[in-house]
Amino acid sequence: NAGVTQTPKFQVLKTGQSMTLQCAQDMNHEYMSWYRQDPGMGLRLIHYSVGAGITDQGEVPNGYNVSRSTTEDFPLRLLSAAPSQTSVYFCASRSLGVRNEQFFGPGTRLTVL
Amino acid sequence: AQTVTQSQPEMSVQEAETVTLSCTYDTSESDYYLFWYKQPPSRQMILVIRQEAYKQQNATENRFSVNFQKAAKSFSLKISDSQLGDAAMYFCAFNQFYFGTGTSLTVIP
């Protein structure tokens, strides 16, 4: 099993550009989520999904869109990148039930100039 | 909204000694789960230990144990017999939705 995979590993964007961060998991997990990690801020939840076709907002959803067309994939779209979105982005997945271990991807380091 | 506070940005411990990392949280819920995650320099997040709020018994996982004080809303992590591989950022999390700001642990040989 590959677990949770994320592409790309690194990305540099100019302000105003759009892009999609890819996330895939092969563990048949219903729950998937996106976090951003900033120095001194810990991890903050952006969006999450409890199954195909179902998404919801986390703590910091503004400027990001998500969709969940399949169980395996959960892409994160930046509509118009801003310097404030410079961060490390983590995708995670787990079985339904908040007590279940969450498996994280390796992260994507995004820089917006 | 729930909040999670880790008041120790950095901690250090001598190899083979014991260290305790602090975490407090605020919630009006009575049933919830608390977690400690470890993030080594590789950046990979790894679950260390979890605690169910309705269980009074403190969780343990080998050298890792917690001191869960529900009334005080405190959830500290104790690492016994510290090893060099324990050096990492440690994050406390509430229901895996809210994370603290992390504690950077250095292990001194």
Side-chain angles (χ1 to χ4, degrees), chain A residues 10-83:
Chain A
F10 302 93
Q11 183 70 50
V12 178
L13 291 179
K14 293 181 179 178
T15 298
Q17 287 184 315
S18 63
M19 81 159 295
T20 299
L21 305 184
Q22 301 292 342
C23 174
Q25 53 94 6
D26 61 359
M27 296 172 281
N28 203 32
H29 287 160
E30 303 93 337
Y31 184 96
M32 296 186 73
S33 55
W34 277 102
Y35 297 87
R36 59 178 289 173
Q37 182 177 21
D38 303 293
M41 299 289 288
L43 275 76
R44 291 181 292 169
L45 183 64
I46 304 171
H47 285 286
Y48 65 97
S49 168
V50 298
I54 306 169
T55 63
D56 207 345
Q57 296 180 352
E59 199 180 359
V60 289
N62 292 341
Y64 307 95
N65 269 4
V66 292
S67 59
R68 183 96 179 269
S69 56
T70 67
T71 299
E72 294 79 19
D73 300 298
F74 190 43
L76 178 72
R77 279 181 285 276
L78 281 70
L79 307 173
S80 177

Side-chain angles (χ1 to χ4, degrees), chain A residues 35 37 98-100 104, chain B residues 33 35 39 44 50 95-96:
Chain A
Y35 297 87
Q37 182 177 21
V98 71
R99 74 173 307 276
N100 292 314
F104 287 80
Chain B
Y33 293 86
F35 301 79
Q39 186 180 42
Q44 184 67 48
R50 75 189 126 202
N95 277 351
Q96 306 200 80

Side-chain angles (χ1 to χ4, degrees), chain B residues 10-22:
Chain B
E10 297 177 344
M11 292 281 286
S12 62
V13 63
Q14 292 280 351
E15 195 175 2
E17 296 295 308
T18 296
V19 64
T20 298
L21 308 184
S22 300

